Each structure stands twice: as C-alpha cells, then as structure tokens.
Amino acid sequence: MSSVPESITRHLTAAIGAEPERASVTFLGVEPIDVLRFADVSRRQVVFATVGCARHPMHDPADLAPDPERGPRAELLVRMRPEAPLPGLHRALATVAAAPAVEGLILGDDSLIDLQEPLWGGAVCSAFLLSPDSGVADLPLADPADPVRFLAAVPITANEAAWVRLKGAQALREAWDEAGVDVTDPARGGVSPA
C-alpha cells in the first residue's frame, strides 16, 4: 500500500494534468513538507501544492489522546498567473502546511493565516485566506481515515486580512468580485476595508 504523500502526489498529478517540479522544505522536529509546482496549461496558471500536511490528521493541541487515524486532513493549493517569478512562495506555503504539526493549527474553510511578511520576494501579500474552491476533489483514504481535502490558499494583503477579521471572508470575496480583482495576478493591488 502506498503512503499518503505518494497517493496525494498521484491524485494532484491526475487532477492538474501535468508532471510537477518538487521542492522539499524541512522544519525542526517535523517530517518534510514537499511543495509541487505544476504548469496548468489549460488555465494558464502555475499551481503550487503542498504534500505532507495530510500525512497525519489535524487535532486540537488540547486533545491529550488524539486519534492517530481519524480527524481532518488537508493540503493547500495556490494558483497564480505565470507572469512573474514567485521566489519564496513555496517556503511560505510549506510554513502554513507545517503549522498543524508545529502549532496544532487546524486548517479549514475561511481560515486566515497571517505570516506578517511578504509571501514571495516583492509581494504585497502577507497572508493566506483558505477556501474549498481549489479545483481538486477530495482524496478518499482507507477506512477509518478521513479523506484529504484540498484547500485553495489565496494570497491576500495586510489590509485584506484586516477586512477578514472585521467583516469576514465572504465580505472580502464580494469586494473582490465588485472591484474585478484577479486573485491569481501576482502583481495585483489589494482592496481596502470600507
């Protein structure tokens, strides 16, 4: 039987339809997190996807006897237009993917993860807003394990992160729609809370 990371890699490769490049990021005391980089030609996007976050289920750190099989599992995807290099984005994404193991963070819909530093060299974005619209279906695992969910990690600015804290994730998404913001554009500006 293949490992969970191998199954995730195969699932992502089939869903995106391209062979990935791979970078591995290691954090002290945690198993490595791989970040795959796909060229999604059909959507004219570059897709970065984590592999390793879902190796184990996520649990509240206050749970003194967590179930080693059951519990939510997730991996993260960032979709960007390929107009500009994104140096360091793989490391920022790996940092978030390692947070469940390092800090007991549970990644889910509308989670706001603020790294408080540029997500890549020259970025105005310093946080990720997670959503279920990644374009990749859940990956079922053998019972009793929960399936792996693939969450879209959308890069957002500090002002947009403040908006999420103040008004919620849906209000920010509505503001993007109203302003015609393309969140896959690495050179985009942010919207400001009104």
Side-chain angles (χ1 to χ4, degrees):
M1 182 174 145
S2 66
S3 71
V4 171
E6 288 170 353
S7 297
I8 291 168
T9 299
R10 282 197 305 273
H11 184 74
L12 287 166
T13 301
I16 297 169
E19 286 297 321
E21 298 173 329
R22 180 184 304 262
S24 188
V25 181
T26 304
F27 300 94
L28 187 62
V30 179
E31 293 165 285
I33 300 289
D34 287 343
V35 179
L36 308 180
R37 181 185 180 279
F38 297 89
D40 187 345
V41 178
S42 66
R43 295 189 188 192
R44 290 195 63 248
Q45 292 179 339
V46 175
V47 181
F48 293 83
T50 64
V51 175
C53 181
R55 188 180 277 122
H56 306 288
M58 296 178 280
H59 293 288
D60 185 324
D63 185 350
L64 299 179
D67 189 313
E69 296 296 328
R70 291 190 174 96
R73 296 176 190 249
E75 297 291 354
L76 306 173
L77 277 82
V78 174
R79 293 181 179 272
M80 300 297 287
R81 289 188 358 213
E83 278 82 31
L86 303 166
L89 177 57
H90 72 286
R91 182 148 187 89
L93 198 54
T95 299
V96 176
V102 173
E103 300 173 15
L105 188 65
I106 296 179
L107 305 176
D109 299 352
D110 296 341
S111 293
L112 172 64
I113 317 296
D114 194 343
L115 299 182
Q116 299 183 344
E117 62 183 28
L119 300 182
W120 62 86
V124 297
C125 295
S126 57
F128 289 110
L129 179 62
L130 306 187
S131 83
D133 332 330
S134 69
V136 176
D138 292 357
L139 171 63
L141 298 178
D143 284 337
D146 291 16
V148 178
R149 296 185 66 216
F150 296 89
L151 300 171
V154 178
I156 65 173
T157 67
N159 281 344
E160 290 170 336
W163 192 329
V164 170
R165 289 184 190 98
L166 185 66
K167 296 187 174 184
Q170 189 53 38
L172 176 60
R173 292 186 186 107
E174 289 167 4
W176 284 335
D177 288 343
E178 188 176 311
V181 172
D182 178 0
V183 296
T184 68
D185 180 358
R188 78 173 179 91
V191 291
S192 298

